[in-house]
Amino acid sequence: MWQDLIFLAGSVLSIVFLAPTVRDATANVPLGSSVPSMTIGAIYAMTYATMGMRFSALGSLGVATMWSLIVSYRSPGPHDGPANAVRFVRSLGRRVHRSVTGTPTDDEYVAPSQSAD
């Protein structure tokens, strides 16, 4: 039981430390940091729940929620909202495709320069 409370305390501290980022409208947190953190928080919440550690599960769910708010509203780029997570996954897929095939993706293509004759 005491371990459950220790994990809860760690999660509460994480939530407290993430709150200023969520509140700061000028904050820009890269999706490469925030999406994995959100995902790990959700996985921890599910894992703790299956172990019967309710307090730890709730704390990790709170951390995952904070990171999801950061993903949705504090990522650089022109878009806001939950679609930012989808945008990150698509970008990751393009990078994997590029590394496997060795070809540039659409967003990396540079048209050949024309000679000035």
Side-chain angles (χ1 to χ4, degrees), residues 10 15 21 27-28 32 37 47 50 54 57 65 97 102 114:
I15 292 167
T21 302
N28 281 315
S37 296
T47 303
T50 62
R54 292 185 193 120
T65 300
H97 178 265
Q114 296 180 355

Side-chain angles (χ1 to χ4, degrees), residues 6-24:
I6 295 296
F7 288 131
L8 173 63
S11 294
V12 168
L13 281 175
S14 293
I15 292 167
V16 167
F17 294 143
L18 289 172
T21 302
V22 172
R23 292 177 33 184
D24 183 0

Side-chain angles (χ1 to χ4, degrees), residues 85-98:
V86 175
R87 185 169 56 111
F88 172 76
V89 171
R90 286 184 182 157
S91 171
L92 187 61
R94 284 192 302 268
R95 283 186 259 159
V96 168
H97 178 265
R98 178 178 173 253

Side-chain angles (χ1 to χ4, degrees), residues 26-114:
T26 63
N28 281 315
V29 180
L31 291 172
S33 299
S34 55
V35 171
S37 296
M38 173 189 72
T39 305
I40 290 168
I43 291 170
Y44 281 2
M46 288 185 294
T47 303
Y48 288 137
T50 62
M51 294 170 61
M53 299 174 77
R54 292 185 193 120
F55 296 124
S56 298
L58 288 173
S60 291
L61 185 60
V63 171
T65 300
M66 293 297 282
W67 278 113
S68 70
L69 291 171
I70 291 169
V71 165
S72 296
Y73 301 106
R74 298 299 176 246
S75 66
H79 305 292
D80 276 348
N84 281 338
V86 175
R87 185 169 56 111
F88 172 76
V89 171
R90 286 184 182 157
S91 171
L92 187 61
R94 284 192 302 268
R95 283 186 259 159
V96 168
H97 178 265
R98 178 178 173 253
S99 67
V100 170
T101 63
T103 58
T105 58
D106 292 340
D107 56 345
E108 296 171 340
Y109 179 76
V110 177
S113 62
Q114 296 180 355

